Amino acid sequence: MTSVRERPAAVLVAVSRPWFWPVSWVPAYLGTVLASHAWLPARADVPRSLVALLVLGPLVWGAVLAQNDLHDLTSDRANPRKATAPLVTGAVSAGRLRLWYWGIVVAALACALVVGPLFVLGVAGVLLLGWAYSVPPLRLKTRPGWDVTVNAVVVGVVSPAAGWAITRPPWEFPWQFGLIGLLFAAALYLPTTVTDLAADTGAGDTTFAVRFGAPLAHRLGTALWGAALVFSIGCAHLDVLVPRSTLVPQLLMAPVLLVAYALLTRRPTIPRLAVLSLLFGVPTIGFALAYVS
């Protein structure tokens, strides 16, 4: 049987963690729907949209996670969730992973040119944030508050804005949608600092949960989640960005989502966060349906 070490393409895909790709694809797709009022891009925009999927999925995540793996090796070795990471298992060496990182960065920027010059700036900004998140001396992952902010901005604001920018100027991106995305993304990221609490503590990485503890992370996450729900309901009431037709469904669904978050993130695990994400998908799809119609 051929070993993983002999299949660099498979190792490269493993480094980029395909299960992370939808984390940027979904908000980017919502941004596209928001900009075009349609489920699918116009025929003329299809090639650029496909290239954007490639950039926002395997290329950006491949670069960001390769950098993260290189500088998180100590904590990853103590983290059961990272036991299959290629650098931890020895499927790839640190030297080769560094070469792959630079190759992926060049590929991401080159492909982003196909989408447009402003898209290149956005991708470069995300890659720079990924570097600042993982690499000393900044290493924002170990600066409580910054670790949450970086992830929330990239997933909740930059990703939907990138989808929007495929068809419309990025400066027209609605700030209300960015704020809703920022609040929800921050609330979803906070529990992940709790799932890695033991490994990060052992490695000396001062994340939000390490500095302030799991209870405060849970309370803040619940508050941010609730604030996002309230702001979305307010937008629906005013018929600003969020269609007024979603107001009653939101009023019915908001308590369910708030209770679900409070329960599922009290002792967070990856399966519980996956369930929360799926549950959150229900009102998200409802919003998209109302918006397109």
Side-chain angles (χ1 to χ4, degrees):
M1 180 180 294
T2 303
S3 68
V4 176
R5 187 184 294 275
E6 295 171 345
R7 293 183 281 116
V11 179
L12 187 56
V13 170
V15 167
S16 70
R17 319 287 207 282
W19 52 91
F20 277 117
W21 302 352
V23 173
S24 52
W25 278 350
V26 171
Y29 175 68
L30 285 175
T32 301
V33 171
L34 202 66
S36 62
H37 286 267
W39 293 111
L40 296 174
R43 186 183 297 273
D45 292 324
V46 168
R48 295 166 63 244
S49 299
L50 293 175
V51 173
L53 283 177
L54 175 64
V55 173
L56 296 174
L59 293 181
V60 163
W61 281 109
V64 169
L65 292 173
Q67 193 71 272
N68 190 254
D69 286 354
L70 285 166
H71 295 276
D72 277 9
L73 186 56
T74 301
S75 62
D76 286 353
R77 283 173 171 160
N79 189 343
R81 192 165 65 85
K82 304 291 185 67
T84 59
L87 192 60
V88 173
T89 63
V92 64
S93 67
R96 174 172 289 191
L97 190 55
R98 288 190 185 91
L99 289 176
W100 284 359
Y101 167 77
W102 288 110
I104 297 169
V105 166
V106 171
L109 294 174
C111 290
L113 277 172
V114 176
V115 183
L118 292 176
F119 194 82
V120 175
L121 290 177
V123 170
V126 170
L127 295 174
L128 185 61
L129 283 174
W131 176 86
Y133 179 80
S134 297
V135 181
L138 288 179
R139 194 157 166 72
L140 298 179
K141 175 181 177 174
T142 62
R143 298 178 186 272
W146 282 105
D147 54 344
V148 178
T149 301
V150 168
N151 283 276
V153 167
V154 170
V155 174
V157 181
V158 176
S159 291
W164 171 283
I166 293 173
T167 57
R168 294 180 63 174
W171 53 84
E172 294 180 359
F173 180 70
W175 67 266
Q176 296 93 338
F177 197 81
L179 180 57
I180 292 172
L182 182 73
L183 292 171
F184 276 128
L188 285 170
Y189 178 76
L190 273 166
T192 68
T193 67
V194 178
T195 62
D196 293 335
L197 180 57
D200 289 334
T201 301
D205 290 338
T206 312
T207 64
F208 187 94
V210 171
R211 169 67 61 82
F212 299 111
L216 180 59
H218 179 257
R219 290 195 294 270
L220 179 58
T222 304
L224 291 170
W225 188 263
L229 292 170
V230 169
F231 186 75
S232 179
I233 290 171
C235 287
H237 173 69
L238 297 173
D239 201 19
V240 176
L241 180 70
V242 182
R244 190 186 294 274
S245 61
T246 67
L247 180 58
V248 172
Q250 282 199 72
L251 288 171
L252 295 173
M253 192 68 184
V256 176
L257 287 172
L258 188 60
V259 171
Y261 181 94
L263 293 176
L264 291 170
T265 61
R266 184 173 296 277
R267 292 182 178 84
T269 62
I270 296 303
R272 288 180 181 180
L273 294 179
V275 170
L276 180 63
S277 298
L278 290 173
L279 184 61
F280 180 59
V282 174
T284 302
I285 293 172
F287 162 78
L289 285 168
Y291 192 83
V292 170
S293 63

